[in-house]
């Protein structure tokens, strides 16, 4: 969990000519309190951003996806699956594990996912992202789903 605190020195002086003319670059630094952003919130924002990328089939490794599919069946989707974050005072580092759909170019999907995480965290959380590491653990081939559907059908030969 991260706590962002601001001292009175961070706050521009009120009712001075310099303070009214200079733009305030850091929103919320008014010296009236601290904002705390939980690590899970940052991970969830990253997970939501990545799921919208074309070519991303799923987040997480094999075991995480198996548990995730069970959770989805009971209506509790884990948006942080496959996402781990390290949150400091002003910076965030993100590690993502994902499965890419065939035939999407792996590097293109990774770059798009990385850009989405940078944008989402910097825009919504307001913290600097130092790095986003992407690990691609598998490729989803659409015929794998069709094979699973065929398992319930009657055999064509006796």
């Amino acid at each position: 969990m991260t706590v962002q605190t601001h001292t009175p020195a961070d706050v521009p002086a009120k009712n001075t000519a310099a303070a009214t003319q200079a733009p305030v670059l850091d929103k919320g630094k008014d010296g009236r309190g601290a904002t705390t952003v939980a690590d899970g919130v940052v991970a969830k924002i990253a997970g939501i951003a990545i799921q919208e990328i074309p070519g991303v089939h799923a987040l997480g490794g094999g075991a995480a996806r198996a548990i995730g599919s069970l959770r989805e069946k009971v209506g509790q989707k884990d948006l942080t699956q496959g996402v781990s974050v390290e949150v400091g005072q002003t910076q965030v580092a993100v590690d993502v594990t994902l499965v890419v759909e065939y035939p999407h170019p792996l590097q293109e999907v990774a770059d798009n996912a990385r850009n989405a995480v940078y944008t989402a965290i910097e825009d919504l959380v307001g913290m600097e992202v130092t790095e986003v590491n992407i690990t691609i653990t598998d490729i989803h081939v659409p015929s794998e789903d069709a094979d699973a559907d065929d398992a319930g059908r009657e055999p064509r030969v006796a």
Side-chain angles (χ1 to χ4, degrees):
M1 191 175 313
T2 181
V3 178
Q4 295 176 340
T5 58
H6 307 289
T7 62
D10 294 336
V11 182
K14 293 183 180 179
N15 299 328
T16 63
T20 56
Q21 293 175 357
V24 178
L25 300 177
D26 297 318
K27 297 177 183 175
K29 292 186 176 185
D30 57 5
R32 297 185 295 167
T35 301
T36 303
V37 180
D39 295 1
V41 173
V42 177
K44 190 177 280 191
I45 289 170
I48 291 169
I50 291 170
Q51 289 178 350
E52 298 174 358
I53 302 301
V56 172
H57 175 71
L59 294 170
R65 289 196 329 261
I67 292 170
S69 67
L70 291 174
R71 292 184 79 164
E72 284 183 36
K73 290 183 183 190
V74 295
Q76 296 179 345
K77 185 171 182 169
D78 183 11
L79 297 172
T80 62
Q81 174 181 304
V83 179
S84 113
V85 297
E86 187 176 331
V87 182
Q89 291 292 323
T90 60
Q91 296 179 327
V92 178
V94 182
D95 295 318
V96 178
T97 303
L98 54 87
V99 177
V100 176
E101 293 177 356
Y102 181 81
H104 290 274
L106 301 181
Q107 193 60 49
E108 182 179 315
V109 173
D111 289 342
N112 290 341
R114 185 174 291 109
N115 291 337
V117 169
Y118 268 93
T119 301
I121 292 175
E122 288 178 352
D123 290 351
L124 297 176
V125 181
M127 298 179 81
E128 177 189 3
V129 179
T130 58
E131 64 182 9
V132 177
N133 299 311
I134 307 280
T135 303
I136 299 172
T137 58
D138 200 1
I139 293 181
H140 176 262
V141 180
S143 65
E144 291 175 358
D145 290 338
D147 292 343
D149 293 340
D150 290 342
R153 295 184 187 163
E154 291 183 33
R156 296 190 312 164
V157 293

